[in-house]
Amino acid sequence: MMLHSFRRDVRGVTAVEFAVTAPVFFLMIFGIIEAGLLLWTQLGLQHGVELAARCATVNTTLCNNVSSIQNYASQQSFGLNPSPGTFTSSTAACGNQVTASYTFEFITFLFPMPSIALNAQACFPR
């Protein structure tokens, strides 16, 4: 009789279901957040190198040497605030070429993940 009533008792079922599904749900949420931050960082780097390559070609008074091009690229990187040393500038066959190499660190502390090296490159005029 007691076993039969134990099987029919449904109190706490919701808590058990939540305990089973919550880790997967939170893993998906943090994965989406991390992917968004990764894409935002890549977009910011690409934006910075494209504007710096254009500045080196079009506005030679503002971007007249390598350090000013690096500073300009760092300022144009969508709030990432990378160091100017992240960017390099050179003159290539395509024009003024600016490249960036940045290490993206994940923010999830529960699951240690390796960092990812992001690269961006732009040449103006194309």
Side-chain angles (χ1 to χ4, degrees), residues 61-78:
T61 59
L62 179 63
C63 299
N64 55 1
N65 59 21
V66 174
S67 65
S68 63
I69 294 170
Q70 289 174 328
N71 287 331
Y72 187 79
S74 177
Q75 294 169 357
Q76 300 299 321
S77 293
F78 283 157

Side-chain angles (χ1 to χ4, degrees), residues 20-71:
V20 170
T21 59
V24 175
F25 175 73
F26 287 120
L27 187 64
M28 285 178 32
I29 293 295
F30 282 117
I32 291 170
I33 291 170
E34 289 285 355
L37 287 174
L38 179 70
L39 292 173
W40 179 67
T41 304
Q42 179 66 38
L43 181 67
L45 286 176
Q46 189 64 40
H47 186 260
V49 297
E50 286 178 4
L51 288 182
R54 184 179 186 281
C55 180
T57 303
V58 175
N59 193 354
T60 56
T61 59
L62 179 63
C63 299
N64 55 1
N65 59 21
V66 174
S67 65
S68 63
I69 294 170
Q70 289 174 328
N71 287 331

Side-chain angles (χ1 to χ4, degrees), residues 1 9 15-16 33 41 51 59 65 81 84 96 103 113 118:
M1 177 78 171
D9 191 6
V16 171
I33 291 170
T41 304
L51 288 182
N59 193 354
N65 59 21
N81 297 325
N96 290 311
T103 303
M113 300 193 56
L118 299 176

Side-chain angles (χ1 to χ4, degrees), residues 78-109:
F78 283 157
L80 292 176
N81 297 325
S83 69
T86 303
F87 301 93
T88 59
S89 175
S90 63
T91 304
C94 62
N96 290 311
Q97 183 175 12
V98 179
T99 59
S101 180
Y102 185 79
T103 303
F104 180 79
E105 299 288 336
F106 289 97
I107 62 169
T108 54
F109 57 90

